[in-house]
Amino acid sequence: MSLLRIQDLSLTIHGKHILKGISLDIATGEVVALTGESGSGKSMTAFATMGLLAQGAEASGQIHLLDKDLLSLSEGQMCEIRGRDIGMVFQEPMTALNPVQCIGDQVMETILIHGAGSKAEARARARDVLTRVGLPPDQFPLSRFPHELSGGQRQRVVIAMAIALRPRLLIADEPTTALDVTTQAQILSLLLSLAKSDDMALMMITHDLAVVSQMADRIAVMQHGEIVEEGATDELFSEMRHPYTQALFQASRHQANLPAPVSAAPLLQVQDLKRSYPLPRPHPFAKRPRFEAVKGVSFEIAKGERVGLVGESGCGKSTLTRAILGLDPIQSGHITLDGTPIATAGPDTKRKIQVVFQDPYGSFNPRHRVDRLVSEPFHLLPDAPQGPARQEAIAQALVAVGLAPSEQTKFIHEFSGGQRQRIAIARALITRPELIIFDEAVSALDVRVRAQILDLMADLSREYGLSYLFITHDLTVVRSITDRVLVMQQGEIVETGPTKQVLDDPQHIYTQTLVGAAPTLPDIGDPHAANAAV
Amino acid sequence: MGMLVYLTRRLISLFLSLVVASMVIFLVVEVAPGDPASYMLGINAQPDTIAALRTELGLDQPKLQRYFSWVTGMMTGDFGTSYTYRAPVAQMIADRMWISLPLALMALTLSALIAFPAGLLAASKRGKAGDVSVMAATQLGVAIPNFWFAMLLVLLFAIKLRWVSAGGFAGWDNPMAAIKSLTLPAIALALPQAAILTRVLRSALIDTLSEDFMRTARAKGLTRGQTLWRHGLRNALIPVLTILGLQFSFLLAGAIIIEQVFYLPGLGRLIFQSITQRDLIVVESVVMLLVFAVIVVNFLTDLAYALVDPRLRSRA
């Protein structure tokens, strides 16, 4: 008998159909992955199971946990089940914990709220469970606050809260999406080992097929609120009956068709760059200590070359980017673009370098129309085109990224995530730059959209001879779109070389760790492999 | 350690604020037109009488010296002598303080006692009848001037029901009577403050409702109410504490109109009278005292922030 049996689950939110007759079984000890793109209804399935739907949501059908139909239970009865029979782990560990409560209290709360012991027992149990998730109290006392922990450690605390009462079912909603690859690998193996040792069923929600393929016993692929294909992991990957599954798989290992680099003349030169930040004073009269974020980095990007910069959070990638853009003062070293030092460069040089950020929504002013957003970099230029010439430039930039010129009168909220990122690229293109920096520019996108954007980038590079600097934690993207890669660790570049060579045969121990930790898709033939460029 | 650094920094800033404030107050009062001596003696006074009075008041000494003697005097509790009343300023302030401070504390306590339950209720019943009625009541509370409300209170409780007297202060010899005479003024002061505080608490709580950690708490099995009470409230406290601190400072001296309505000889009335009589030494001292109170309250608010939010302790 299944532990969780979802039958014909439908969900509407304010009359809009979100889930359309989902049926899914999860047995005790089984790991089932729900995968699909954003908006496919994966998370909503989880929230319906938890009974934590937003107001205005109406669920129909049945969700049986053993013999209880969760949808028919009262709110009070669901409160007893949540945390005791079903635990849940969330995507964003940085915000999933109460910032003003110490971790011990937060883990103890799960135990106390269900009356599963006295305060002293709960404390002892919290110690045990934190030890189980890899936070032994002698190193991580219960009195720690969330802000004193890293993202991975916080996620461990969230897991500890979810498994404190040994629930039968654990739901993990994109538990590693916000984490670095090495941390991701640790958290995934922790989840798996906990599920095994407690004989717990695990419902794993993720958009990442590579993660899915390594973890799950069974996979359900969701699209538009329906499960389009479901089966044991091996079978599903070898058969891939549904076209959507095939498309997802193809897009996940998409390889953009890059033109050969045009010349070897250096465009961007970074020499022995150092950048440090002041830290808080240890006591009010002490000298401020400084944190060295970038410790003497040197590299070059040639004209038309696509370079990747990989490394984990805190390695100094973003600091380096800000320095290259001339946004922060540097402590020592030189950055030159086309021979001109960036720090003292005028608009004419700065025009040649543009940037595209990760969050396609957050990087636009929501109250400006697209034409104004796209033409914003014109303020750099002393001789910016006006009137019809300006309109022409805006239209050209929009067409270049595959949008219609008529879209320029819309606001940014009227576009999808992929379209927004196209607009961000249009904004970067409008000054006819030579170097574009992509700061995690495709990380927030669904795989199929990501594949399109990567193709667009390759086309633009071919057409305009653009150079790219790709800053990302995602090795798949680096492999897909770069010629050369720089690996950064703790403010230093530890390895550099042609992308394929570095990723296939890493020399530095850190690169080896990164490559080893990155989840990979199963290496299987493609049923429709005619034009796959792998 | 973090807490210690935080505390030291706050204390240093408290001290510097006091020094700057005392200088500013001294300068402003000094450059104000009009000579206290000639004002006190009237238009027909002889120049030599005025000069004699100036010497007696110490007004002929250099400004720097007068500043230092004023500041050091205040530190030893000697606030000088009132020009008009010829009485020690310290004593005058102390008498008024015994009315204004209890009144402010009563009003503040009352306002918090009303605002916390009302704010929690409104936030937990967001959009429902409870919320709508609380919001309507606070709208009224913010809109109605407190002196008018005070008069209504007098009409009902003093004149119609005769529970309390309509005004005046009974004195602390009889504590019950003293509290009784402060009750209506405290209510009149507290209600508008409670209305503001309720609205601030409600919106701060509603902001926390959309936080991820509130969802985490629900996933542990907490009910909506428990989530709000255990996780929402403490996270919503920072803006509430800010408003509470501001309100206390206001209540201490801002009660002039209410003191007028209830015939209470408080600090507000003292400062009003001294300004009209150009009793500079009293004005200086009372203003300095109020600044001191505000700065200390701010310091306490900062401490409360750090107690509520551990992140502030480590971000020294």
Side-chain angles (χ1 to χ4, degrees), chain A residues 140 209 375 423 493 514:
Chain A
F140 301 93
L209 279 187
S375 60
I423 294 169
I493 290 178
L514 272 188

Side-chain angles (χ1 to χ4, degrees), chain B residues 26 30 54 58-70:
Chain B
F26 186 78
E30 282 303 310
R54 284 179 61 88
L59 292 174
D60 54 347
Q61 286 166 358
K63 285 200 163 55
L64 202 65
Q65 196 181 332
R66 281 171 49 208
Y67 171 74
F68 277 112
S69 59
W70 176 57

Side-chain angles (χ1 to χ4, degrees), chain A residues 217-221 227 229-237 241:
Chain A
D217 301 322
R218 236 154 21 88
I219 297 176
V221 182
I227 293 180
E229 186 165 0
E230 190 201 332
T233 303
D234 299 346
E235 284 169 33
L236 188 125
F237 273 111
R241 268 169 272 137

